[in-house]
Amino acid sequence: PYSLCGLLRMPIPWRVKRDIARFYLWDVPGIEVEARKDELDRIPASELIAKYSPEFRAWYEKLAKPYPRTADASAYYAIKSAQEQDYAGDAGIASLPGGLGLINHRLAQEIEATDPGRMLTNAFAYRVRHDSEGRVLVSYWHGGRAFTVRARAAIINAEANIATRILEDIPAQLKSAMEAMRRFSYPTFHFCSREPIYQRGYRVGVMDSTIQAVTVPDWFSRDRGPERSNILSCFNKMSLEDVEMVRDREAMVKMSCQVLGELDLRFPGTVQKVEAVHVFLRSRNYCTPYPGYITEVFPKLGKPYGRIFFANAEYLNPVTHFPEAVEAGTEAARQVRKLL
């Protein structure tokens, strides 16, 4: 639905297509979002789409935004996202061969080659604080023992809900802002098969579906021809009320079965072909820009204090993508170099 051809081919009534065109081509571009920032940030996005047809609202609610529900999101953020095509197919979103895990592995190799022995892996940092001289003390667990190291500066790349548990002397105002972030769960289901099920990415355009989209991360077998094995990855943005559901094993097993059943409706024979199911919970991984968040909370986030700097994409964009991660890391490194 992110192009004119896609819009015309969608199997929905013309009155709904008219609402889509009206929303994206006339109404949204005409809103002076920055001039009305304070006003729009106080109301939920659900008020923004209340005047459109029920079918449009259902389509928009399910597929056309990077957050779970319009009632949970700021109207300012919804308009800004739509104006910038933040969730459109040409926004630079892509699946990279091997995913971010392979990128991390390559970065680790580069660091080790540049300065051998400077990087420690398989360690769990659990406490970060300043000492009496203003240096940074980092306590971590490694190889069955606890260690503490002193540094001239530290970059914290943990998400806020983790960083607030690790940072001991974080300023009260900053901690309050980080704790005010609200998150939604983003479980991803990987259905693995030795037989091909589907060979391309597929964005589901059916209402009342558990599945938001289907992708095929089959980079591991791309050179094996049309009979290569498959991994179908399906994701689902869950509401704020359901954020704890991913901790319930029985509930996630039921959801996996529901998603597999819906896949079998679209690609008959899937149930018989699937040999393994992997559920990646990504619990609380994404921030919801709720009403008031952009103007009252967001400006306070990511501010360095003492010799501690933050490098996380969620302080640059409530709905994070890889480019923001690169930008955040680069800026934190620049700040530390300046300090040193």
Side-chain angles (χ1 to χ4, degrees), residues 299-324:
K300 303 174 184 176
L301 297 172
K303 306 298 184 185
Y305 67 96
R307 291 174 173 263
I308 291 177
F309 300 82
F310 293 92
N312 197 284
E314 68 182 8
Y315 303 138
L316 298 180
N317 188 347
V319 180
T320 57
H321 299 307
F322 186 70
E324 285 93 352

Side-chain angles (χ1 to χ4, degrees), residues 125-138:
Y126 61 88
R127 188 184 185 195
V128 179
R129 64 198 185 281
H130 290 92
D131 65 10
S132 58
E133 299 177 357
R135 299 291 182 97
V136 182
L137 298 178
V138 178

Side-chain angles (χ1 to χ4, degrees), residues 2 19-29 56 59-60 64-65 82:
Y2 304 120
D19 276 353
I20 293 175
R22 173 188 167 195
F23 180 80
Y24 284 104
L25 299 180
W26 284 279
D27 293 353
V28 166
F56 170 84
W59 172 81
Y60 187 85
K65 55 189 176 30

Side-chain angles (χ1 to χ4, degrees), residues 12 37 46 51 63 68-69 82 99 106 113 119 151 194 219 231 264 281 306 314 320 338:
I12 55 178
K37 184 174 183 177
S46 54
K51 62 183 179 181
L63 291 172
R69 296 191 316 188
R106 180 59 183 270
M119 183 174 61
R194 289 190 177 90
W219 50 268
I231 295 178
D264 196 63
L281 301 181
E314 68 182 8
T320 57
K338 182 179 179 180

Side-chain angles (χ1 to χ4, degrees), residues 14 46 62 87 102 111 132 166 189 206 227 272 303:
W14 277 103
S46 54
K62 195 69 182 175
Y87 203 51
L102 191 61
I111 294 171
S132 58
I166 296 175
F189 306 90
V206 181
E227 296 305 309
Q272 288 73 27
K303 306 298 184 185

